[in-house]
Amino acid sequence: MRRMAYSFPEEVLEHVFSFIQSDNDRNSISLVCKSWYEVERWCRRKIFVGNCYSVCPSMVIKRFPEVRSIELKGKPHFADFNLVPEGWGGYVYPWITAMASSYPWLQEIRLKRMVITDDCLELIAKSFKNFNVLVLSSCEGFSTDGLVAIAANCRNLRELDLRESEVEDFNGHWLSHFPDTYTSLVSLNISCLGSEVSFSALERLVGRCPNLRTLRLNRAVPLDRIANLLSRVPQLVELGTGAYSSEMRPEVFSNLAGAVTHCKQLSSLSGFWDVNPACLPAVYPTCTRLTSLNLSYATIQSPELTKLVSQCHNLQCLWVLDYIEDSGLEAIAASCKDLRELRVFPSDPFGVEVEPNVSLTEQGLVSVSEGCSKLQSVLYFCRQMSNAALITIARNRPNMTRFRLCIIEPRTPDYLTLQPLDMGFGAIVEHCKDLQRLSLSGLLTDRVFEYIGTYANKLEMLSVAFAGDSDLGLHHILSGCENLRKLEIRDCPFGDKALLANAAKLETMRSLWMSSCSVSYGACKLLGQKMPRLNVEVIDERGPPDSRPESCHVEKLYIYRTVAGARLDMPDFVWTMDEDSAVGLS
Amino acid sequence: MENSTTNYKIELNFQATELRLGLPGSDEPEKRSCIKSNKRASPEVEESVTKSNCTSSDGTSDEQDSAPPAKAQIVGWPPIRSYRKNSLQTKESEQTDGTAMFMKVSMDGAPYLRKIDLKVYKSYPELLKALKIMFKCTIGEYSEREGYNGSEYAPTYEDKDGDWMLVGDVPWDMFICSCKRLRIMKGSEAKGLGCL
């Protein structure tokens, strides 16, 4: 038997392993035996670190010396909604400096919710000769000056994607720094930038890059320039327009319609800020080819929206505002039979009007669940919901994998029966056996958590807000849900008991976020003391928790497993509870 | 869905597996009451809960606070990214006549922020009076030498440079132009700002 391990030369093993890309499978391979561990670690090319503080750069580099592609995530998800105070962390600098010296052949960097400075961008531009891909998703801390460094130095850059990042935008000149010899661009997403980029530079850039397939422009690009741009990129697959409005002079309209028709591969459209409905028909020629359509900035009314979307018979992914209304969703249910993902965003999230401004109810979602048999991913903002509707949706779509429902007013009950929505969400987790992601809203008692804990065996991420009655709710989740990785909770009456009773569970998860709940400082200290492989971060802007009684509830709590120990870059409103925390004394 | 697991059974297991906090033999009742009450609920949120339990909710609460008409906004709710909110707001502010000047106001310890229209007020006393009503707090008399010394809270604002300044130091018109947001600080913290 021992001979088996040596029967394949390393080169053969390496070759076999090269067909295995999934991180989980790679991890499994490395556990087989020591020699496989060694071979595997030398040939791992891609690393994903879901929490940048769970491991330190030197550990990663030591184990995997030949990495070409890295993906890192920083701040917790609730940072998207301003729940994580400014300055919490997520700095990528230590990673970039470590990799600059150890990974000279690094090609790809993908970051999400991290802070990246212009210095980092310059370091990236200078250190990695073969750099191909830079994706900055919801990042911040950099400016267009940093982009100059990337544009000027990265000769082999294929992808530059700034999706939803906050960029200090001085001007659009950075784009002109791509040298005339640079022709490798495949994907460019600058939709988050405010200022105008130099238009002639943009036209020349796209004109000389024959492999360009994705171009997401920013709001400042006027509609009448799009036609000209498109005529230089007939091979374009994904287009994000700028502001979609202008006085529709006849030649602008016909040029645009012509250019759009000419792009025979165009299958994804986005942008559509400030839409002038009269301009919409220009994109009708693409409708039958479209698989992805993002109209979530298009503030146009239901009839025009419906007319556009119901022509898209091959649509798989639709993002739209609630202007679509129930009637529009019914039309979609009838025409878009291939729909897999639907996101409906609120046009009036703060409910300035007393009456809802649009006629979008639970009925729209029910219609789509009936008509679209492939629907698996839903994000839906609405103002009313019923258990009956949720049960119907669950029964219609047992193939649902992502279900995020946001009933805008917290703690809203079933509008028909005035009961909590426990039964409805219970039906979702019971029927949708492959459910990976769930967000709850509406009036919910501990009961719904009992259902989730019992049935949601594949659930990996759960978001909870303004729900539950007691610690029992949290206990149900933590003692069930075997595949739970991320749990985020706000404004729920969950406290010490459930957390401490399920401390071991937390090591099997990536992270737990709790804000405005009822967890005491004392419990946090205890948890930090008992669980050395967790970082228990107390985030409190009222000042040191030591200055308040131990029973006092912490504002925010972020717990994550780590092999790196407490981090050293915490701001003055974050405290990590560690083994030295004194318990019972203050 | 009918699960025969009782609440009590699970609670018993709690005690068996619980990591105790404090000295052995110390009570739980104290902690239990701690857990039951919803510490973060403000009067308005509590009211809207009872209201929505008895009436059908159409997404707004019927009763209004005695303070200004702007509806209370909960931080980070509904869960929409800022760039999306801004995208919608830009459109709306283009449609209104643009003379309003809404500012976010936070108060230390309050669960959510409020917004006020600074243009509605013509002087510091008017503004402070409105803030006192809105947040039900006491803010003392302003003096150049001692700031708001002697009161529980002190009003501060973030100016265009990102610095936190005490409200009242500069002329009203200058304040209006440079104020980006307001924060009502607890007196003990504001002492550092009050100059002495």
Side-chain angles (χ1 to χ4, degrees), chain A residues 39 46 48 67 89 128 176 231 325 350 374 458 479 500 531:
Chain A
V39 174
K46 236 180 137 157
F48 170 74
V67 164
F128 308 118
S176 321
S231 62
E325 297 192 339
F350 303 113
K374 297 197 190 158
K458 298 275 170 65
S479 58
L500 295 174
M531 311 291 296

Side-chain angles (χ1 to χ4, degrees), chain A residues 523-539:
Chain A
C524 295
K525 287 202 289 189
L526 188 59
L527 197 59
Q529 199 194 23
K530 298 285 180 192
M531 311 291 296
R533 287 186 302 196
L534 294 178
N535 275 356
V536 178
E537 291 191 10
V538 169
I539 301 166

Side-chain angles (χ1 to χ4, degrees), chain A residues 296-297 408-409 430 490 553, chain B residues 1 39 59 75 77 83-84:
Chain A
S296 61
Y297 300 106
I408 291 177
E409 183 69 22
E430 193 186 353
R490 62 161 297 174
H553 298 163
Chain B
M1 288 292 176
K39 286 278 182 277
V75 174
W77 191 267
Y83 65 81
R84 219 171 255 294

